[in-house]
Amino acid sequence: MKKIAIIGLGYVGLPLAIEFGKKFKTIGYDIKKTRINELKEKLDITNEVSVNDFKQSKKLSFTSSIKDIKDCNIYIVAVPTPKNHLKKPNLKPLIDASKALGKIISNQDIVIFESTVYPGVTDDICAPIIEKISKLKYLNKESNQPGFYCGYSPERINPGDKKNHFTKIKKIVAGSNKKITKKISNLYNQIILSGTHEVSSIKAAEAVKVIENVQRDINIALMNELSIIFNKMNLNTEEILKAAETKWNFLNFRPGLVGGHCIGVDPYYLIHKSTAIGYKPNLIKAGRRVNDNMGYYIAEEVCKLFKKKKIKLNKSRILILGIAYKEDCRDIRNTLVVDIYKKLKKLYNLEVDIFDPIVNKKDVWNEYKIELVDNLKSNYYDGLILAVNHKIFRNMGLKKLIMYAKKKNIIYDIKYAFPAKSVDGRL
Ligand SMILES: NC(=O)c1ccc[n+]([C@@H]2O[C@H](COP(=O)([O-])OP(=O)(O)OC[C@H]3O[C@@H](n4cnc5c(N)ncnc54)[C@H](O)[C@@H]3O)[C@@H](O)[C@H]2O)c1
């Protein structure tokens, strides 16, 4: 009988636990007690899962005690894989989870990792930790010996996107041997409507996920660079991109802020591994440099517009709309809006407010020491920056948003949300 444990119940782990809990006995485990208490009350602050989803997942329970998952036989790990202050992989959550699993797993159990990593983390780092602590052998070849198995199946969800639910996205799977790959594939096929795609090794599966995000990062970096060039030439980037897209093989990417904990982080994982094995990945690094700099670039562009319109910079008031790392998502991790805020405030001495009604104000304060504004005053700001195009802003439209600006103002649109001629600057 299958009994599944999901380790780490965030954006990835919780929806997964909900789906498995509709079919199999499933226990969601997280080290964060407050999260577990909320989940027990059917409350998901990430907004990925509704009360109805909780109700439908009849075989799911939650715990913050590792002992409660001891008699599971399938363990799926979805803990965070952030970068550290040196932009290097921070594998501590994965290492901690592996250590905890080492203490509780039994003969023939399977540990599947879903966290995004560089190729080699499962086989070379996590499995040896579990092996050492559990004293069980890692069975990465066909074998009848006692031991445990591993697998890797990257999550490819897009938080905030209610249309492309993870059950509709093909699932990449790999196991530590052929039999286990099939077993893992069969398991996911129970919940993934679009089926699975098996690859030959765990390292290959790890590589698939990381390059998906590397590819997006590089493409967005190229668009950002083009936008910088075209802005210097007073050309309309959006018009040019739309025209170029009339050719069938021109890719549909847009310039923008790359924040969050995936696209802006995962390339550093591959950079780290590549450098460690003796190859300097120049292109991937250059893409990261371009994208990491975009917040500062936008702040400078906004200041140039102030000068152009002869609005004095010092103590002028700016309202930034949105701080989440992407639209309709409450996640604020690594948001580059903070770079715009800091540069405008600290370097140019502007008074900067940020309004984002969908994120948690307390989280923003804890993470960035920024107090979000709640109530907007009409006719108050010298400039508006549309940074994140949440539904609420889309519904308001420029006509309503502009009420908060003084008559003489600058409007900067990062998201291409408004017609070019109705704003002073766009990315
Ligand atoms: N969010 C996304 O869009 C997305 C998409 C695809 C892949 N991923 C990858 O999936 C992984 C998880 O991301 P997320 O966004 O769900 O993270 P998250 O921060 O939303 O959630 C992770 C959860 O794991 C818990 N946790 C941390 N250490 C733990 C431990 N040792 N044992 C048990 N629980 C622990 C945390 O308390 C948290 O609740 C990451 O590797 C991420 O890169 C994320």
Side-chain angles (χ1 to χ4, degrees):
M1 256 270 279
K2 281 189 189 66
K3 194 167 172 191
I4 301 170
I6 310 288
I7 326 294
L9 300 171
Y11 284 86
V12 168
L14 179 63
L16 195 65
I18 291 280
E19 288 309 312
F20 276 123
K22 291 177 184 171
K23 302 239 161 129
F24 307 105
K25 186 149 181 36
T26 303
I27 308 178
Y29 163 76
D30 201 292
I31 46 168
K32 212 168 163 189
K33 284 201 174 91
T34 49
R35 175 77 167 152
I36 292 298
N37 291 338
E38 288 164 2
L39 296 178
K40 283 181 176 168
E41 297 296 317
K42 302 185 174 39
L43 169 69
D44 170 28
I45 55 156
T46 66
N47 225 8
E48 292 295 308
V49 159
S50 68
V51 174
N52 203 28
D53 293 324
F54 281 104
K55 283 185 184 158
Q56 284 177 11
S57 190
K58 296 212 170 12
K59 298 181 181 170
L60 173 64
S61 59
F62 298 106
T63 185
S64 56
S65 167
I66 190 83
K67 283 185 284 181
D68 293 343
I69 60 171
K70 199 172 166 24
D71 62 344
C72 291
N73 39 35
I74 294 169
Y75 296 92
I76 303 181
V77 181
V79 299
T81 43
K83 59 176 168 38
N84 65 19
H85 66 287
L86 297 170
K87 298 182 176 173
K88 293 263 183 336
N90 170 5
L91 295 177
K92 189 174 181 306
L94 261 185
I95 291 171
D96 288 350
S98 303
K99 283 180 182 167
L101 285 173
K103 290 181 193 151
I104 57 158
I105 64 160
S106 315
N107 183 28
Q108 300 302 305
D109 285 352
I110 305 176
V111 184
I112 305 164
F113 291 89
E114 288 225 1
S115 303
T116 309
V117 291
Y118 57 79
V121 169
T122 303
D123 281 344
D124 305 341
I125 296 178
C126 299
I129 293 173
I130 301 173
E131 208 170 26
K132 192 172 165 202
I133 296 177
S134 68
K135 308 259 182 327
L136 287 166
K137 194 169 164 42
Y138 173 38
L139 302 174
N140 50 3
K141 295 193 185 78
E142 301 294 337
S143 160
N144 292 324
Q145 272 185 290
F148 70 96
Y149 305 94
C150 280
Y152 185 79
S153 180
E155 185 47 73
R156 305 162 105 186
I157 53 153
N158 184 21
D161 180 348
K162 302 290 177 213
K163 208 171 100 199
N164 297 304
H165 190 252
F166 84 95
T167 52
K168 295 184 194 156
I169 308 169
K170 203 173 257 304
K171 198 93 170 86
I172 305 294
V173 291
S176 48
N177 65 39
K178 277 190 185 153
K179 228 164 78 191
I180 293 305
T181 301
K182 274 276 165 275
K183 236 180 162 169
I184 295 173
S185 191
N186 292 340
L187 173 74
Y188 280 107
N189 270 314
Q190 302 284 325
I191 60 160
I192 304 290
L193 306 171
S194 41
T196 56
H197 179 99
E198 295 168 22
V199 293
S200 65
S201 68
I202 286 177
K203 284 194 173 93
E206 290 168 327
V208 172
K209 171 67 198 185
V210 76
I211 66 154
E212 284 171 11
N213 284 346
V214 166
Q215 191 194 59
R216 278 194 73 74
D217 196 41
I218 293 287
N219 279 295
I220 298 169
L222 174 61
M223 296 302 122
N224 279 333
E225 194 155 273
L226 293 176
S227 156
I228 294 171
I229 298 168
F230 294 149
N231 281 341
K232 273 193 177 298
M233 299 172 75
N234 270 329
L235 291 172
N236 180 339
T237 306
E238 171 79 338
E239 182 195 1
I240 296 163
L241 293 179
K242 275 196 168 153
E245 272 164 24
T246 58
K247 190 179 176 198
W248 76 94
N249 60 0
F250 189 86
L251 302 178
N252 171 17
F253 282 94
R254 286 290 178 275
L257 297 176
V258 180
H261 48 284
C262 286
I263 302 174
V265 172
D266 302 345
Y268 289 119
Y269 273 65
L270 193 57
I271 289 168
H272 167 80
K273 182 66 189 177
S274 176
T275 310
I277 57 172
Y279 175 73
K280 203 169 142 202
N282 293 315
L283 178 62
I284 305 175
K285 280 176 122 174
R288 278 287 69 237
R289 255 198 317 276
V290 171
N291 285 342
D292 266 353
N293 198 42
M294 289 312 287
Y296 304 120
Y297 166 78
I298 289 166
E300 276 166 18
E301 288 296 291
V302 168
C303 290
K304 279 185 204 159
L305 290 172
F306 268 86
K307 283 179 195 154
K308 200 170 147 194
K309 277 198 145 175
K310 297 197 169 53
I311 305 176
K312 74 167 177 46
L313 263 179
N314 195 24
K315 300 273 181 220
S316 269
R317 297 187 192 120
I318 280 258
L319 175 66
I320 302 179
L321 296 157
I323 190 169
Y325 88 88
K326 63 186 277 193
E327 45 265 28
D328 303 320
C329 179
R330 307 181 72 182
D331 201 337
I332 52 159
R333 285 176 284 183
N334 301 315
T335 170
L336 297 193
V337 176
V338 170
D339 293 348
I340 306 176
Y341 173 90
K342 279 190 192 154
K343 188 146 188 177
L344 289 176
K345 203 172 160 74
K346 298 204 172 128
L347 206 71
Y348 294 107
N349 208 23
L350 273 86
E351 284 181 17
V352 190
D353 283 344
I354 305 182
F355 177 62
D356 192 325
I358 82 163
V359 303
N360 183 311
K361 276 185 77 175
K362 238 194 202 159
D363 289 348
V364 176
W365 176 256
N366 291 341
E367 184 83 20
Y368 302 113
K369 299 286 168 281
I370 295 174
E371 182 88 54
L372 296 186
V373 288
D374 289 319
N375 298 311
L376 297 178
K377 291 183 203 149
S378 297
N379 203 11
Y380 185 72
Y381 293 98
D382 300 284
L384 300 184
I385 301 175
L386 180 78
V388 190
N389 199 14
H390 290 317
K391 192 170 174 206
I392 179 165
F393 301 141
R394 297 200 292 276
N395 288 346
M396 288 170 84
L398 187 57
K399 247 189 184 165
K400 279 200 179 145
L401 290 170
I402 214 163
M403 284 182 348
Y404 303 111
K406 293 176 186 165
K407 260 223 163 76
K408 192 169 180 192
N409 62 48
I410 71 110
I411 309 287
Y412 192 88
D413 178 9
I414 297 177
K415 298 300 298 186
Y416 291 27
F418 311 125
K421 54 179 186 300
S422 54
V423 299
D424 300 289
R426 299 209 292 181
L427 186 56

